[in-house]
């Protein structure tokens, strides 16, 4: 990351202590969907602070009760309970535990959890095991044999890929009846965003329903309007059994949630699913206000509309630098494009230089290594003019780097 010290962040802008200002195309990594330090969120935090309840452990508090009711209200009907936690990874750990408990209750052999190659689910131990790439798992000395990965289905040939994948698992010695559940991101983030084929997710959903296996969506990145839908799974016309959310739920303070079927969330024995900071009142007040902002400012529709503007402008940049800029991917306000070298290979060094040059011009930006991608993830509340101004600056930065 570029050596910039954030001093203040408001709306779509970030400032350093010298008064330099950036248009933020990172949203603090998918957090500030509602804009940084939204006045309503700050007001809610301040009000909670003034009431002098800044912690209550598992004892009930009004801010938590209100938030949980709201979360259940905004979710599909089958997701009628919520467990609040602190980080995205913690919510994934919790979902893994619930999925296992659900499977093991049916049969002592029903313990297999399936995830997809290239997806990201966090950095704690079980979450890291869901991630397929070996690099992040070097520190884990005994990998769980009942966590297995399927290749990402997008772009693969075949008509009924999901059935083929089940057959593939069988060939690998994994009886599909042993599957307790599937955990999937709403899009493959690593080298994406790449969305799953709709028919694949629908086959997966109907198979899991028929075989008492759970479908868990990781909405930590894609939730709360980022892709132009409230939840990313809405792109597939399915309803999951469990959903993990974090990041933009509060647009600020650490809070995450596992939303799910009550019968699944009630599986752990008393005392077996607790967390010291579950439902901290200040985090809950921030999240409640952030969810209200989503509605009041109609940010889901805003993301869908501005996504069209964003894609159109990126295509112009692609045309201008034909061969060096391409592979534009995305929906809503979650886009990426790739920079290529003269031989047509992804060029991570060029992406880094273009990112640094954009930051020098006043656009806060992230690139990924080694894929050579630049990610465009502005707050959903960004005005269209600021979005276009930022994209102009990135285009100038690319031009300078290629010169
Ligand atoms: C899709 C996804 N899942 C899980 C996580 C982990 O969340 P956290 O960093 O809050 O633990 C992330 C974080 O980037 C993520 O993008």
């Amino acid at each position: 990351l570029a050596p910039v010290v954030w001093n203040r962040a408001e709306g779509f802008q970030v400032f350093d202590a010298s008064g330099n200002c950036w248009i933020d195309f990172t949203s603090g990594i998918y957090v500030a969907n509602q804009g940084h330090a939204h006045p309503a969120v700050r007001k809610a935090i301040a009000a909670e602070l003034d009431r002098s309840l800044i912690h209550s452990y598992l004892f009930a508090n009004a801010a938590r009760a209100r938030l949980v009711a709201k979360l259940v209200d905004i979710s599909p009907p089958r997701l009628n309970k919520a467990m609040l936690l602190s980080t995205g990874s913690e919510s994934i750990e919790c979902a893994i535990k619930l999925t296992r408990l659900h499977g093991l209750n049916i049969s002592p052999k029903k313990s297999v959890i399936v995830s997809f190659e290239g997806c990201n689910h966090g950095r704690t131990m079980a979450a890291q095991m869901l991630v397929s790439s070996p690099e992040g798992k070097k520190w884990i000395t005994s990998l769980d044999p009942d966590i297995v990965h399927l290749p990402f289905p997008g772009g693969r040939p075949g008509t009924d890929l999901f059935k083929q994948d089940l057959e593939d698992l069988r060939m690998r010695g994994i009886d599909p009846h042993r599957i307790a559940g599937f955990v999937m991101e709403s899009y493959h983030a690593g080298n994406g965003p790449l969305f799953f084929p709709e028919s694949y997710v629908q086959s997966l959903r109907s198979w899991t329903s028929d075989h008492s296996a759970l479908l868990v969506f990781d909405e930590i990145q894609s939730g709360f309007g980022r892709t132009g839908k409230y939840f990313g799974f809405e792109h597939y016309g399915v309803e999951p059994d469990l959903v993990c959310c974090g990041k933009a739920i509060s647009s600020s303070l650490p809070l995450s949630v596992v939303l799910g079927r009550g019968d699944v969330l009630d599986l752990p024995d008393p005392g077996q699913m607790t967390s010291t900071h579950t439902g901290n009142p200040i985090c809950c007040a921030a999240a409640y206000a952030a969810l209200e902002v989503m509605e009041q400012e109609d940010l889901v529709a805003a993301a869908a509309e501005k996504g069209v503007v964003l894609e159109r402008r990126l295509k112009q940049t692609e045309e201008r630098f034909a061969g060096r800029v391409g592979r534009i991917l995305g929906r809503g306000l979650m886009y990426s494009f790739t920079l290529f070298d003269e031989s047509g290979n992804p060029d991570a060094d060029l992406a880094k230089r273009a990112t640094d040059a954009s930051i020098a011009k006043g656009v806060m930006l992230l690139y990924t290594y080694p894929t050579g991608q630049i990610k465009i993830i502005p707050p959903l509340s960004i005005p269209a003019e600021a979005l276009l101004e930022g994209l102009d600056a990135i285009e100038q930065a690319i031009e300078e780097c290629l010169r």
Side-chain angles (χ1 to χ4, degrees):
L1 298 175
V4 177
V5 181
W6 288 30
N7 182 55
R8 191 160 62 84
E10 276 176 38
F12 65 92
Q13 290 172 309
V14 174
F15 300 83
D16 70 8
S18 312
N20 292 307
C21 168
W22 287 265
I23 294 174
D24 184 22
F25 275 5
T26 73
S27 295
I29 203 76
Y30 307 94
V31 171
N33 285 14
Q34 299 83 337
H36 290 282
H38 193 288
V41 174
R42 283 165 63 182
K43 202 170 149 205
I45 293 172
E48 202 58 34
L49 196 61
D50 280 349
R51 286 184 343 98
S52 272
L53 183 70
I54 61 175
H55 176 69
S56 75
Y57 176 50
L58 294 176
F59 293 100
N61 68 65
R64 185 174 71 193
R66 216 158 65 120
L67 175 64
V68 167
K70 179 134 196 108
L71 283 168
V72 168
D73 192 44
I74 58 167
S75 307
R78 82 154 73 192
L79 308 177
N80 58 1
K81 273 214 167 173
M83 170 75 189
L84 298 178
L85 296 155
S86 304
T87 68
S89 301
E90 198 185 4
S91 72
I92 292 286
E93 298 281 333
C94 179
I96 291 172
K97 178 173 177 168
L98 289 169
T99 304
R100 274 267 166 86
L101 285 174
H102 184 261
L104 293 174
N105 255 8
I106 297 166
S107 150
K109 290 193 173 156
K110 204 169 174 63
S111 53
V112 171
I113 297 189
V114 186
S115 65
F116 290 88
E117 286 172 11
C119 286
N120 171 30
H121 298 289
R123 296 284 174 263
T124 52
M125 193 180 278
Q128 186 73 68
M129 283 198 260
L130 288 182
V131 180
S132 60
S133 67
E135 299 90 66
K137 291 191 281 206
K138 282 184 200 148
W139 57 282
I140 304 177
T141 47
S142 44
L143 291 172
D144 187 328
D146 284 349
I147 292 184
V148 300
H149 304 94
L150 282 172
F152 181 74
R156 274 161 48 200
T159 44
D160 198 340
L161 278 184
F162 182 66
K163 277 215 181 102
Q164 284 180 34
D165 280 347
L166 287 180
E167 207 39 53
D168 175 49
L169 286 176
R170 212 189 299 275
M171 302 290 277
R172 284 156 63 186
I174 300 154
D175 176 358
H177 289 99
R178 290 193 54 229
I179 296 175
F182 289 79
V183 182
M184 57 194 289
E185 271 186 286
S186 303
Y187 55 72
H188 165 329
N191 194 15
L194 291 170
F195 284 77
F196 285 75
E198 195 178 327
S199 59
Y200 186 94
V201 181
Q202 289 181 352
S203 300
L204 193 162
R205 173 69 282 188
S206 82
W207 186 88
T208 44
S209 299
D210 292 347
H211 292 81
S212 304
L214 299 185
L215 172 55
V216 184
F217 266 93
D218 176 343
E219 290 277 345
I220 293 161
Q221 201 178 105
S222 54
F224 306 104
R226 178 53 61 188
T227 66
K229 304 259 188 207
Y230 204 101
F231 293 111
F233 62 74
E234 292 172 42
H235 290 285
Y236 306 113
V238 297
E239 278 191 17
D241 300 296
L242 295 176
V243 176
C244 297
C245 300
K247 294 187 185 277
I249 188 171
S250 67
S251 79
S252 54
L253 303 183
L255 188 93
S256 63
V257 64
V258 180
L259 276 161
R261 277 170 35 194
D263 62 315
V264 178
L265 273 138
D266 284 340
L267 283 171
D269 290 332
Q272 293 306 311
M273 199 168 73
T274 65
S275 180
T276 301
H277 293 293
T278 174
N280 171 279
I282 297 184
C283 299
C284 287
Y288 187 86
L291 299 184
E292 281 206 316
V293 168
M294 295 282 318
E295 287 160 25
Q296 284 157 5
E297 300 185 9
D298 205 2
L299 291 179
V300 180
E305 280 158 25
K306 280 177 268 187
V308 176
V309 175
L310 169 54
E311 190 183 62
R312 198 182 305 131
R313 183 67 187 86
L314 283 179
K315 286 205 163 133
Q316 288 168 354
T317 306
E318 180 182 36
E319 258 171 47
R320 181 162 172 212
F321 303 109
R324 305 301 296 273
V325 170
R327 205 169 169 263
I328 297 168
L329 301 169
R331 289 185 195 176
L333 283 180
M334 159 75 262
Y335 267 82
S336 74
F337 63 89
T338 302
L339 292 172
F340 297 95
D341 64 18
E342 282 175 42
S343 320
N345 300 310
D347 190 338
D349 176 58
L350 177 59
K352 175 172 170 31
R353 286 187 295 118
T355 301
D356 287 348
S358 300
I359 293 174
K361 288 181 184 301
V363 182
M364 199 61 74
L365 204 59
L366 292 167
Y367 78 103
T368 54
Y369 183 88
T371 60
Q373 283 186 309
I374 289 184
K375 306 264 184 187
I376 314 278
I377 324 160
L380 310 184
S381 54
I382 190 170
E385 308 77 60
L387 180 64
L388 290 171
E389 189 186 336
L391 294 169
D392 287 349
I394 294 174
E395 191 172 284
Q396 285 167 21
I398 295 171
E399 186 190 2
E400 284 171 20
C401 291
L402 289 176
R403 204 179 285 150

